[in-house]
Each structure stands twice: as structure tokens, then as C-alpha cells.
């Protein structure tokens, strides 16, 4: 499954929408990025996201805060962005430092600007099956499944990993599409046996080649969201591709879709804010 190509098509549509918004209102969609400290990976991620914004005609407003900023200081900054009518979406790059109450910081993001899908409001809306912004990586996974017309109803989806930004919402979105969902995590007993039953497998662990190709059910759809240094996913791609019906590579699968969803949701937030919907 070619995430790079789908992300390119998604970003073309995002660019067209951003240009349309600018033409109709004189205002470009605007994403605020908030970075705490100078962790090299976080700096790179934010730079990549801002570069993609620029390419798509989305303005980005960057706020860099020192690593030692307090929870109160970060909440204040995010609250200001939430109240700023010129900002349509807010991205808090995480993880933030361990001394910061990350949940408090996320909750300072106004729901209508939560384009990264990190607030309790967004999570609950997703759980209720109501409109709202979804966490970008699970959102990207669903778009990939839809682009390849994967029929999810009644299928056994096995999600390995249950983080709040990835595994858990991915399973909820699949459940919302009538899949029968099993979650696996570090305390799961008999994980390979469960993986072998998966019609749709979502790997979201973060351990290189954790899932063996021999455990893939023949014909299964395999989505590998994992990423470990050296461009290695959670699934042993070379052996898994022999058995899978569809499979995402690493890189070029889920990864490119994450940013595409972020930008798409930013344009959607601007569209709603500017009363164009
Ligand atoms: P995370 O918060 O560390 O969660 C990892 C999950 O894997 C946890 O639920 C954990 O279980 C489970 N796990 C760990 N060891 C396990 C084991 N031996 N057996 C079964 N389950 C195990 O990570 P994350 O943020 O969800 O990210 C997961 C991976 O996706 C990482 O490689 C990350 O780089 C990648 N990722 C990619 C994108 C993208 O844009 N492509 C975005 C986000 C993340 P417990 O809950 O029991 O600890």
C-alpha cells in the first residue's frame, strides 16, 4: 500500500483547498506549532511539518519555548493560541519534558483547533462516532484502508499496541467501521496466535521486526505503523509480503499519511472557522 502516493494526492487536495480559502477570504489557513525545548527529533518533526505547510499554502506560526517552561507557562501560551482568531489549528509537539503535565497542556487546545486530535474532546467524539478531529496516524491508517477499498465489516482486526495516540484510537476507528477488534499489548498472552487470526493487522509497537511473516494470515491486510531507527517497521516486511494481501512498507506507508492528515484537518478547521462549510 503506497502511503507516499496517497499522501501526495491528499496534499494536492489540501493545497487546492488552502488556495480556495485564501482566494475567498484573503486569509490563509494557519497552523500554530508549539515546541518545548530542543530535542533534535522534535525539532526535525516540527521543521518537516512547517515545510509541508508552506508547500501546501498553509501559514505556520511557530512558538519555541525553553525546555524549563512550567506547565502554567505552556498552558498560558496554548490558551492564547486557542483564543487567537488568526490561528486555525494548534500542534503541540510531544513528548514535552517530564516536569510538564502534558494532559493539562493538551486540554488547553480549543477542540475546534485540535487538528492533531489529542484532546479528551476529540477522543470522546471519536468514541461516540461523532464528527471531530482524529489522531493523525490512526486517521491516516483509515484513509489508507479506504483508498485500497478494504472491506472492514465483520473482519477480525488485531491491533498490537494501545497508546492513546495510535493503537487505542486505531482500534476504536476500526470498531466504528464494524470490524471485530482485538487489542494486544505488553501483557497479552499468546500474541502470535492472535496475530495469526488477523484479517487486518495494525502493528503499533515500536519494536523492529517484532511480527514474523510466518504469523501473517494468508491474504491479510497488514498496516505497519511502527518505526525504529534505520527505517525498520514492526513487521518483518520481506517475509510478511509473501503472505499478506496488502501491506504497507516502512518507510512510505503510514508515515507520510500522518502529516497529510494533520494538514488536511488544519484546512478543515480553517474552513469551519471562516464559515465556508
Ligand atoms: P508507545 O506509546 O511506546 O506504545 C507502544 C505500545 O506497544 C504499547 O501499548 C505497549 O504495550 C506495546 N508493546 C510494547 N512492547 C510490547 C510487546 N513486547 N508485546 C506487545 N505489545 C508491546 O508507542 P506509540 O507512540 O504508540 O508508537 C508505536 C510505534 O509507532 C513507534 O515505532 C512509533 O515510532 C510509531 N509511530 C509512527 C507514527 C507515524 O507517523 N508513522 C506516529 C506515531 C508513532 P503497553 O501499553 O502494555 O505498554
Amino acid at each position: 500500500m503506497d502511503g507516499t502516493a496517497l499522501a501526495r494526492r491528499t496534499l494536492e487536495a489540501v493545497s487546492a483547498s488552502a488556495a480556495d480559502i485564501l482566494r475567498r477570504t484573503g486569509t490563509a489557513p494557519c497552523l500554530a506549532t508549539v515546541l518545548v525545548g530542543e530535542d533534535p527529533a522534535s525539532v526535525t518533526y516540527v521543521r518537516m511539518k512547517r515545510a509541508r505547510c508552506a508547500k501546501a499554502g498553509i501559514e505556520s506560526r511557530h512558538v519555541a519555548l525553553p525546555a524549563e517552561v512550567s506547565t502554567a507557562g505552556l498552558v498560558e501560551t496554548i490558551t492564547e493560541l486557542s483564543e487567537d482568531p488568526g490561528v486555525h489549528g494548534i500542534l503541540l509537539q510531544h513528548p514535552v519534558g517530564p516536569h510538564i503535565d502534558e494532559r493539562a497542556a493538551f486540554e488547553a487546545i480549543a477542540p475546534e483547533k485540535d487538528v492533531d486530535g489529542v484532546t479528551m474532546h476529540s477522543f470522546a467524539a471519536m468514541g461516540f462516532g461523532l464528527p471531530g478531529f482524529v489522531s493523525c496516524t490512526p486517521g491516516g491508517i483509515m484513509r489508507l484502508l479506504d483508498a485500497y477499498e478494504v472491506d472492514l465489516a465483520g473482519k477480525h482486526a488485531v491491533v498490537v499496541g494501545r497508546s492513546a495516540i495510535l493503537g487505542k484510537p486505531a482500534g476504536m476507528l476500526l470498531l466504528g467501521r464494524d470490524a471485530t477488534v482485538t487489542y494486544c499489548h505488553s501483557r497479552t498472552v499468546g500474541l502470535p496466535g492472535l496475530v495469526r487470526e488477523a484479517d487486518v493487522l495494525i502493528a503499533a509497537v515500536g519494536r523492529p521486526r517484532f511480527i514474523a511473516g510466518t504469523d501473517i494470515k494468508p491474504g491479510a491486510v497488514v498496516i505497519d505503523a511502527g518505526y525504529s531507527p534505520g527505517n525498520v517497521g514492526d513487521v518483518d516486511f520481506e517475509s510478511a509480503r509473501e503472505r499478506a494481501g496488502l501491506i504497507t512498507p516502512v518507510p512510505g506507508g503510514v508515515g507520510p499519511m500522518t502529516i497529510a492528515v494533520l494538514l488536511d484537518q488544519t484546512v478543515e478547521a480553517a474552513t469551519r472557522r471562516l464559515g465556508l462549510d
Side-chain angles (χ1 to χ4, degrees), residues 11-236:
L11 289 171
E12 279 165 14
V14 165
S15 299
S17 301
D20 186 51
I21 291 170
L22 181 61
R23 186 178 52 76
R24 289 166 70 184
T25 66
T27 304
C30 174
L31 175 70
T33 52
V34 181
L35 178 64
V36 176
E38 288 169 5
D39 169 66
S42 294
V43 169
T44 304
Y45 285 140
V46 169
R47 194 185 301 131
M48 263 167 57
K49 288 167 187 172
R50 298 190 69 214
R52 290 288 166 80
C53 279
K55 213 171 155 199
I58 295 174
E59 245 173 53
S60 64
R61 191 185 303 179
H62 186 56
V63 182
L65 297 170
E68 55 279 5
V69 69
S70 65
T71 298
L74 179 57
V75 165
E76 191 186 329
T77 298
I78 295 174
T79 303
E80 280 169 15
L81 294 169
S82 285
E83 290 168 355
D84 185 334
V87 169
H88 304 116
I90 300 171
L91 169 94
L92 169 61
Q93 185 64 39
H94 55 95
V96 291
H99 66 289
I100 291 174
D101 179 348
E102 189 174 89
R103 182 46 42 202
F106 281 147
E107 294 309 315
I109 299 173
E112 68 274 15
K113 299 189 182 186
D114 181 21
V115 293
D116 202 23
V118 293
T119 62
M120 289 198 271
H121 181 280
S122 298
F123 195 82
M126 180 187 60
F128 283 115
L130 295 171
F133 295 121
V134 296
S135 184
C136 294
T137 305
I141 289 172
M142 298 310 289
R143 289 176 188 222
L144 267 167
L145 291 169
D146 284 343
Y148 284 84
E149 297 180 349
V150 175
D151 180 18
L152 295 167
K155 297 288 159 50
H156 186 189
V158 175
V159 183
V160 189
R162 57 171 169 179
S163 73
I165 56 142
L166 179 44
K168 207 175 279 178
M172 289 166 68
L173 291 168
L174 290 162
L175 183 65
R177 299 285 294 278
D178 298 327
T180 301
V181 179
T182 299
Y183 283 103
C184 300
H185 46 78
S186 65
R187 308 292 292 273
T188 296
V189 175
L191 188 144
L194 292 164
V195 168
R196 282 197 286 273
E197 287 175 18
D199 300 310
V200 178
L201 176 71
I202 312 289
V205 185
R207 288 178 168 236
R209 299 189 187 91
F210 180 68
I211 292 167
T214 46
D215 286 336
I216 302 298
K217 183 175 175 175
V221 176
V222 178
I223 304 280
D224 189 351
Y227 178 82
S228 298
N231 278 339
V232 184
D234 286 349
V235 178
D236 183 37

